[in-house]
Amino acid sequence: MLMVAGDCSEDVRGTVRRRRPIVAAILLSLLATFPAYAAAPSPVTPELVAAATKEGKVVFYTAMDIQVAEGLGKAFEAKYPGITAQVERSGAERIFQRVGQEYASNIHAVDAIDSSDVVHLLYWKQQGWLASYVPDDVPRWPASARDADGFYASNRATLSVIGYNTKLVKPEDAPKSYADLLDRKWSGKIVKAHPGYSGNIMTATFVLSHVLGWDYFKQLGGQHIMQVQSSTEPPKKLALGERPVMFDGNEYNALIVKAQGAPLAIVYPSEGTPLVGGSAGVMKDAPHPNAARLFIAYLFSREGQQLLVDKGYVRSFHPDVQEPADRVKLSQIKLLTADPAQQEKAVDEIKRKYAEYFGT
């Protein structure tokens, strides 16, 4: 993965030591070296459409927000009449557990799969559970956003952001950094998602544990946090006024509720903002293998990606997708990302320390 190392020297209430965070190169500047695929790109052919239509159904497990995922499913059904898209949405960690339990029982119900934690796709690949399938558009993805062997690629990206309710917090009083959230004035006023449920938050916690240090999280745990599960929830809690500030939450849900009129402002913290790529692929033992491939091809097509950007407010790696003009450009944000292989090794430690510091 292409990364740029940076130096974090912010004083987090005197607790954050100088560390070297893992800072991502800008998303659109990653269009550099493209390694050869083990599998050749597969175009959508009339034969594939006919075979998928004969199967009549695709089962899609996803960690995307249900509104976004169902919108994708309906658009697929409209494009390919006769094929039903069954969308099963849950948190990434729950999806990971579900697939493990199903496969342990020799149950193969899922056709296509998406997770906000790329470690899951890496694991499924290692287990031999994914099929090598490369949609036509994916070779144009940045090398860092696709598996070199063709088993999965990043179908979406989002940011883990701070936010606040503009009716409850004045802009001049709003937090500008993670350090600010340790101020006692925010005690009992922060909502936060859980890395044991959300792949987005698992990735963000891994990155921030390197940037801020675990002592930071220990102190944050004393701030009487409202703990929720999914990264989709904190923006909704802000919109409802249940808490004035969110420590984390995905950018796309924050933008969705803001577009719906919610009094919500996004903060890209001065220490850096975790960039999280959701990844997707086809299951090797998919009960509807042709429909699975057609669905994944649609997901990664310009049409599917533009839909996710326009309706779901995610960020896309597709070079032809048009980003909204009013969206903050990635070049204006200090980005943080993680090496999936290193994150995979840290999962148990993250869950243990998080439970210790937050009592969940």
Side-chain angles (χ1 to χ4, degrees), residues 47-274:
E47 291 77 15
L48 177 63
V49 175
T53 303
K54 185 176 181 179
E55 290 171 353
K57 180 180 181 180
V58 60
V59 178
F60 180 47
Y61 288 6
T62 179
M64 280 190 276
D65 180 82
I66 187 62
Q67 174 184 332
V68 177
E70 289 186 343
L72 176 70
K74 287 182 173 64
F76 173 79
E77 291 175 342
K79 187 173 181 67
Y80 298 105
I83 308 175
T84 300
Q86 180 179 323
V87 175
E88 301 278 349
R89 193 272 162 189
S90 190
E93 301 302 320
R94 294 293 185 269
I95 289 173
F96 182 72
Q97 294 170 7
R98 177 177 178 177
V99 171
Q101 291 167 355
E102 288 180 349
Y103 272 55
S105 301
N106 201 31
I107 296 172
H108 302 113
V110 55
D111 295 307
I113 199 157
D114 153 272
S115 176
S116 52
D117 189 342
V118 68
V119 168
H120 297 163
L121 279 296
L122 181 62
Y123 175 81
W124 293 327
K125 174 188 173 183
Q126 293 167 347
Q127 295 300 306
W129 296 351
L130 293 178
S132 182
Y133 177 69
V134 183
D136 243 0
D137 293 71
V138 169
R140 303 175 66 198
W141 256 235
S144 63
R146 54 192 173 90
D147 176 48
D149 297 318
F151 286 90
Y152 59 87
S154 293
N155 57 302
R156 58 192 171 94
T158 189
L159 301 169
S160 182
V161 297
I162 292 175
Y164 63 95
N165 183 305
T166 57
K167 288 186 176 181
L168 302 176
V169 179
K170 298 177 180 179
E172 60 268 27
D173 297 329
K176 305 297 190 299
S177 67
Y178 291 112
D180 290 344
L181 294 176
L182 293 186
D183 192 308
R184 299 311 299 174
K185 73 178 182 180
W186 300 120
S187 179
K189 298 180 179 180
I190 302 171
V191 59
K192 187 184 183 312
H194 200 294
Y197 181 89
S198 167
N200 182 297
I201 303 305
M202 174 61 75
T203 299
T205 304
F206 171 72
V207 172
L208 293 177
S209 69
H210 286 270
V211 175
L212 305 174
W214 278 113
D215 191 56
Y216 173 87
F217 283 97
K218 183 176 182 179
Q219 293 188 63
L220 184 69
Q223 286 287 67
H224 304 289
I225 301 291
M226 171 191 273
Q227 184 70 67
V228 295
Q229 291 185 320
S230 175
S231 68
T232 67
E233 294 182 67
K236 298 172 185 178
K237 296 296 184 183
L238 289 196
L240 293 171
E242 294 186 24
R243 285 294 186 275
V245 175
M246 68 180 189
F247 176 88
D248 51 25
N250 66 60
E251 182 195 46
Y252 77 89
N253 270 106
L255 291 171
I256 287 173
V257 297
K258 185 177 180 181
Q260 294 169 345
L264 186 150
I266 292 173
V267 174
Y268 303 99
S270 59
E271 297 93 342
T273 302

Side-chain angles (χ1 to χ4, degrees), residues 20 69 99 110 128 130 139 198 221 223 254 261 277 290 298 305 334 353:
R20 296 194 64 80
V99 171
V110 55
L130 293 178
S198 167
Q223 286 287 67
N290 295 292
Y298 178 74
Q305 289 291 293
K334 182 180 179 181
K353 285 185 176 292

